[in-house]
Amino acid sequence: MNRLAIRQLAYFVPDVRVAALAHHRLHGSGPYFIADHIPLRRCVHRGVERPLDHSSAYGQWGDLMIEFVQQNGEGPSAFRDMFAQPGAQGLHHVALFVDDVDAAIGDFAAAGHDLACRAEMNDGFVFAFVDTVAAQGHMTELYAPVPQLTGFYAMVARAAQDFDGTDPLRPIQFN
C-alpha cells in the first residue's frame, strides 16, 4: 500500500453546527460550510443497502480539513458502528485520497480491514469507510481526488485564508 497523507479529520457529533462553532471559538478554525441531509444515490453498510441521512460541516484548521458529521436518524451505519449510544461523539475517521477507491478497499481488505460502508452521491462521487478501528482507533475514509472533490477542498482552504471570524457557519448544498 502506498504512503497516503491524511487530508481530513472527521468527528461524529450530535449537532454539526454546535460542534463547528465550538471548534471555531476554541481554535480559530473555519469558516464551516454546512451541508444538511447530504443526498446519496446508494449506500451499502456491512453488505446491506441502507439509507443514510447525514449532515456535515466542513472547515479548515491549519493544513487539514475538519469535518463534523451527524447522522439524522438512528439506523445502522458506519457512524453508529463506533458511536451507538445517544449523544456519543468523537473522532470517527481520517480521510485519504486514493487513485482507485475499489482497489484501495481491496488493499485494506488484504491487510485485514473490512469494508464498513461504500456510498455514492447523486453525481456519482464514491466514498468508502474502511474499518480500521481495532488497529487505529478510527475508521479510514477513501475517495479519489476527482475535480469536484479537489475543487471543494480548495474552496474551503481559500475561505480560511482571509477568514476574520465573520459568518463562521455558511450553508452549502450538494445535489
Side-chain angles (χ1 to χ4, degrees), residues 19 102 136 165:
D102 292 320
Q136 299 177 344

Side-chain angles (χ1 to χ4, degrees), residues 17-29:
R17 286 169 176 79
V18 169
L21 197 53
H23 199 274
H24 161 69
R25 288 178 176 152
L26 184 61
H27 299 291
S29 58

Side-chain angles (χ1 to χ4, degrees), residues 60 65 97 147-161:
Q60 197 73 16
M65 178 182 278
F97 288 174
Q148 75 253 40
L149 179 66
T150 58
F152 179 68
Y153 266 74
M155 182 274 299
V156 172
R158 273 192 312 275
Q161 288 175 350

Side-chain angles (χ1 to χ4, degrees), residues 155-175:
M155 182 274 299
V156 172
R158 273 192 312 275
Q161 288 175 350
D162 298 320
F163 180 51
D164 65 0
T166 304
D167 298 322
L169 305 179
R170 302 173 185 185
I172 60 169
Q173 187 173 354
F174 296 125
N175 296 322

Side-chain angles (χ1 to χ4, degrees), residues 5 30 34 36 45 53 57 79 119 131 135 143 151-153 172:
I34 312 291
D36 287 310
H45 169 251
D53 181 3
F79 303 122
D131 189 341
Y143 38 55
F152 179 68
Y153 266 74
I172 60 169

